[in-house]
Amino acid sequence: MHAKPAAEPLAVHTATHPVHAPHAHHGHGPAATHADAHAHHTGAHHGDTDNGPRKSWAVLALALAAQILVVLDISVVNTALPTIGRDLGLDGSDMQWVVTAYLMMSGGGLLFGGRIADLLSRKWVFLTGLAVFTIASIVSGFAGGATELIAARAAQGLSAALMTPAALSIIMTTYSGAQRRTGLALWGAVGSLGVAAGALLGGGLTTWAGWQTIFWINAPIGAVALLAGLKVIPAVTTPRASLNQFDLTGAATVIGSLVALVYALGATEQHGWLSPRVLLALAASALLAVAFIRMERRVANPLVPPHTWKVKSLVSGTAVMLGVTGILVGAVFLTSIFVQTVMGYSAIRAGVAFIPLALAITVGTVLAKHALAHGTPRTIAAIGLLLVAGGAALLAQASTGAGFATDVLPGMVIIGLGVGMVFVPVSVSAMGGIPPQHAGMASGFLMTGHEVGAALGVAVISAVASTAGSLTSVTGVIEGFPRGFLAAAGIAAVMAVFAYLRMPAVRAEGAAMHMHH
């Protein structure tokens, strides 16, 4: 369940650079639409006429339909998890994998997906991603056990990593002027609406039609979109790409490192933190990460261009993004299990329970937007992270006999406000000094931090919570819930210090304005 930060302001820049056209993966949060509203206001001064004839909205409708599937499939699972767990006999680490397999593959494969969309036909990359996503969704619904479901979710994630950058670059290359701005504003809205809509849809379908339908609903939408896409999306001939342009080894090592790390965290529940299995997996993850860094220095076309690591504002912003998204998605994961397992909520009630969180994130982004005119990005991000730490510490007090309005809602709203306040300064400062030709790569880098953070957040927070017992038993959840949230509070406090020390200390007004134009 995500609200996403805005990379759209850049998109207006990249008008003539559809390369990687910002891979803002899985949509963006409320900040995005605000940025585009600004673009509309300033349009009058920048020639608000369309460059060339108006294009049909059919291509945009298709790209958005595919993106809605991708966004919903992150959050739709959260409210269905306890039911899926009971039906398929999943343990705590299996439930965590159902969420992280998707996020890990989509995040780990995002930069590679962007590269593929740049080098091959965007139309066919998009349609291939959509076809695989649709098939993987059907397989997910038919899964009879943990292995099948987790493998199908990983396939969904990989296809999302292909589909999203291709969809966004199709919007960027098909439309211009006011039409493009409208497209980007709608793309941003999809991300923020996905937060509440996914939880509600997941809860409703699980309660009324069974958890399988949260996956099967993708099949008719995907099939119609595929048939329409074949006709509607313009085919563009691209020069033949050679294999060495793709950096396959880079993509494989970065995903391998992530898988090993998440596996290690998931295995702690059954085997303990110091078991040979966990230590071996952690060592494998570290080795693959080192191999990735070393190989990236040598290959002709690295996934992440070497100069990226020297852009301090981008690297620090991505690190903060990773931390704050991890806490948000981990908190949603744990809270969804708590309200259903301990408080006895149905899946639909759990879905409704997350609406205040989505609203709080929206309010937080609006507050941060205004605060940026008066303070530095690092100060606003640090305050937001301290709010997140406070909200998590408050949630850690909940136990047996907890009431939603008194024990869950206040902490959740404070976390939402804090998260919203972090998203905006991170997006603005990370992208502030990026030249237009590198905008796509930079936003892809930032979004990779976002997705990877989400996967790691669920893994870390559930691993800490599981030290008290299994997250499938009531006593395990009651004991583990406070531990998970105390860990989240600690991470948020450390991130607040990091944000204050490493993020830009200058006011972002100029950068923010520049980015909108």
Side-chain angles (χ1 to χ4, degrees):
M1 201 165 110
H2 299 29
K4 293 262 175 166
E8 271 86 4
L10 280 152
V12 184
H13 258 333
T14 51
T16 51
H17 304 277
V19 186
H20 289 316
H23 320 322
H25 196 38
H26 305 342
H28 313 296
T33 40
H34 193 96
D36 282 284
H38 180 87
H40 279 293
H41 293 314
T42 54
H45 311 294
H46 295 280
D48 209 357
T49 53
D50 286 0
N51 315 338
R54 285 180 70 80
K55 302 281 179 65
S56 154
W57 288 116
V59 175
L60 177 67
L62 268 179
L64 289 177
Q67 191 61 7
I68 286 165
L69 292 183
V70 168
V71 172
L72 290 181
D73 262 65
I74 299 164
S75 52
V76 80
V77 171
N78 275 303
T79 38
L81 260 185
T83 312
I84 296 173
R86 280 195 302 275
D87 263 21
L88 300 184
L90 308 183
D91 62 28
S93 70
D94 289 336
M95 291 207 296
Q96 170 233 297
W97 270 103
V98 172
V99 178
T100 52
Y102 181 88
L103 289 166
M104 205 167 51
M105 291 301 172
S106 61
L110 180 58
L111 289 169
F112 189 55
R115 174 69 55 82
I116 293 171
D118 281 345
L119 293 172
L120 302 178
S121 159
R122 286 184 195 95
K123 174 177 180 170
W124 292 109
V125 172
F126 173 74
L127 292 176
T128 304
L130 183 58
V132 176
F133 189 88
T134 306
I135 294 162
S137 298
I138 296 167
V139 174
S140 297
F142 280 113
T147 311
E148 292 164 66
L149 181 57
I150 291 162
R153 288 285 289 161
Q156 275 190 315
L158 272 176
S159 53
L162 279 180
M163 206 160 51
T164 297
L168 192 49
S169 60
I170 285 168
I171 294 173
M172 294 294 297
T173 49
T174 304
Y175 301 104
S176 56
Q179 276 195 299
R180 181 188 286 149
R181 279 197 296 280
T182 305
L184 291 169
L186 286 168
W187 180 273
V190 162
S192 45
L193 289 173
V195 176
L200 265 178
L201 185 70
L205 288 172
T206 302
T207 304
W208 298 317
W211 64 264
Q212 292 86 346
T213 49
I214 68 172
F215 299 115
W216 289 340
I217 197 171
N218 296 342
I221 301 168
V224 171
L226 265 172
L227 291 171
L230 284 166
K231 285 195 141 177
V232 170
I233 300 170
V236 181
T237 49
T238 50
R240 280 184 70 84
S242 62
L243 206 58
N244 69 348
Q245 286 177 274
F246 288 101
D247 192 16
L248 282 164
T249 47
T253 45
V254 80
I255 291 174
S257 174
L258 268 177
V259 171
L261 178 56
V262 174
Y263 174 79
L265 292 165
T268 57
E269 182 188 332
Q270 280 179 310
H271 304 283
W273 284 84
L274 295 174
S275 66
R277 184 178 297 215
V278 169
L279 294 175
L280 267 172
L282 286 172
S285 174
L287 278 171
L288 285 166
V290 171
F292 171 70
I293 292 163
R294 294 192 68 150
M295 281 192 307
E296 288 291 281
R297 287 182 187 150
R298 292 193 189 138
V299 294
N301 297 289
L303 273 186
V304 182
H307 62 264
T308 307
W309 302 103
K310 295 184 182 127
V311 185
K312 282 186 182 161
S313 58
L314 177 62
V315 174
S316 63
T318 302
V320 174
M321 177 64 78
L322 189 145
V324 75
T325 312
I327 296 166
L328 172 65
V329 183
V332 169
F333 173 83
L334 207 51
T335 306
S336 180
I337 291 173
F338 183 82
V339 296
Q340 291 181 71
T341 309
V342 178
M343 294 170 66
Y345 274 33
S346 65
I348 182 71
R349 273 187 84 190
V352 173
F354 284 115
I355 293 175
L357 175 70
L359 292 173
I361 292 170
T362 310
V363 172
T365 58
V366 173
L367 288 174
K369 190 83 184 131
H370 292 299
L372 272 177
H374 309 287
T376 61
R378 71 173 189 176
T379 309
I380 296 159
I383 291 168
L385 282 158
L386 288 174
L387 274 178
V388 172
L394 204 56
L395 272 168
Q397 311 307 311
S399 63
T400 329
F404 180 75
T406 50
D407 300 294
V408 178
L409 184 64
M412 211 155 67
V413 167
I414 294 169
I415 286 178
L417 276 173
V419 166
M421 282 184 70
V422 177
F423 275 164
V424 175
V426 163
S427 302
V428 168
S429 68
M431 299 308 208
I434 307 291
Q437 66 272 28
H438 296 305
M441 181 283 304
S443 55
F445 189 74
L446 184 65
M447 289 303 110
T448 297
H450 186 279
E451 297 301 298
V452 170
L456 291 180
V458 173
V460 169
I461 289 172
S462 63
V464 173
S466 299
T467 56
S470 172
L471 292 181
T472 52
S473 71
V474 176
T475 48
V477 176
I478 290 168
E479 298 288 315
F481 188 78
R483 290 191 193 190
F485 273 102
L486 283 175
I491 295 166
V494 170
M495 289 309 300
V497 175
F498 175 85
Y500 192 75
L501 295 176
R502 303 292 300 170
M503 280 178 67
V506 290
R507 291 261 288 275
E509 254 178 325
M513 289 301 168
H514 174 64
M515 281 165 57
H516 287 160
H517 293 199

